[in-house]
Amino acid sequence: MILHNFIVFEGIDGAGTSTQLSILQKKLPPTRAFFSAEPTTLETGKFLRRILSGEVPVNPQTAAYLFAADRCEHIYGKDGILKKATDGILCFSDRYLFSSLAYQSQECGKELPELLNSSFPLPEILFYFSIDPAVSLKRIIGRNVTEIYEKEDFLRKTESAYKAVVEAYKVKVPEMKIVEIDATLPVDEVSKIIASELKKYEINL
């Protein structure tokens, strides 16, 4: 199922998705657009942030279930994405199920993440930010805050998995618009690409 008015930005840590969504948020009024991220700011997401920081170690399969649970609240919870998008609000999310298929599959295999995320609606547009992990890590180091997945070897495997996931969805769900972006481009150039693609859907910034 494709969810109209739902737009997702995906990419490994340091790819620049958060930066671009922040730019968009300044251009679109709250009455017209809603911005969120995964893990969410809900209680489920707050617990996941503790896991990602390394504060709470869990089994990889447990993490996969928790990410799916947080996603369920994100989509189906009170005032969630499904309700807002159905009401005509543009809903942008920094990360979605594609990140689980790329990240969690590295630690617990593909089967569980695929199963846990098989029933969630798909976005109308997926922006995939492609970047060399060595470049993204330089950006991450500049933040002075790192998470458990932010290691070059892990990110290289995850970037490869992301690309495989994106290619697979191009084939099995052609009605979902996928825009691949070179995330090493300057921030303003990436913003122009995003604005141009959104304009095709009559989303003018």
Side-chain angles (χ1 to χ4, degrees), residues 50-190:
R50 293 175 64 195
I51 292 171
L52 290 173
S53 71
E55 179 186 350
V56 181
V58 299
N59 179 279
Q61 291 187 339
T62 302
Y65 279 103
L66 290 170
F67 273 102
D70 186 47
R71 186 162 298 125
C72 191
E73 285 299 303
H74 188 202
I75 298 296
Y76 302 118
K78 183 180 178 181
D79 293 325
I81 294 293
L82 181 61
K83 182 180 185 303
K84 291 180 183 297
T86 303
D87 287 345
I89 301 294
L90 290 172
C91 296
F92 293 86
S93 180
D94 187 356
R95 297 274 181 83
Y96 189 47
L97 64 85
F98 311 97
S99 62
S100 281
L101 299 180
Y103 276 85
Q104 268 66 66
S105 65
Q106 301 307 308
E107 294 189 312
C108 62
K110 296 179 181 180
E111 292 78 10
L112 183 60
E114 288 178 354
L115 175 64
L116 294 174
N117 291 281
S118 60
S119 64
F120 289 116
L122 295 171
E124 188 171 12
I125 310 173
L126 166 62
F127 286 96
Y128 168 58
F129 288 56
S130 179
I131 190 170
D132 187 300
V135 178
S136 70
L137 274 174
K138 288 181 181 178
R139 297 177 178 179
I140 293 168
I141 292 170
R143 301 177 192 159
N144 294 319
V145 177
T146 57
E147 295 182 342
I148 59 173
Y149 296 140
E150 294 172 347
K151 300 176 179 65
E152 186 168 349
D153 287 348
F154 188 90
L155 289 180
R156 285 200 178 281
K157 292 176 183 178
T158 304
E159 172 72 1
S160 178
Y162 254 131
K163 289 179 179 178
V165 168
V166 169
E167 289 303 315
Y169 271 95
K170 285 181 181 178
V171 175
K172 66 181 181 180
V173 191
E175 61 270 32
M176 179 175 67
K177 173 69 174 178
I178 297 176
V179 181
E180 294 188 53
I181 292 176
D182 178 356
T184 63
L185 292 172
V187 171
D188 59 339
E189 287 190 37
V190 174

Side-chain angles (χ1 to χ4, degrees), residues 34-50:
F34 173 72
F35 291 83
S36 59
E38 290 187 358
T40 67
T41 56
L42 302 169
E43 292 303 317
T44 47
K46 289 177 182 177
F47 184 61
L48 276 169
R49 295 286 180 189
R50 293 175 64 195

Side-chain angles (χ1 to χ4, degrees), residues 16-31:
T17 56
S18 299
T19 296
Q20 291 301 326
L21 283 169
S22 178
I23 292 170
L24 274 178
Q25 192 167 8
K26 294 174 183 176
K27 297 179 179 179
L28 293 167
T31 53

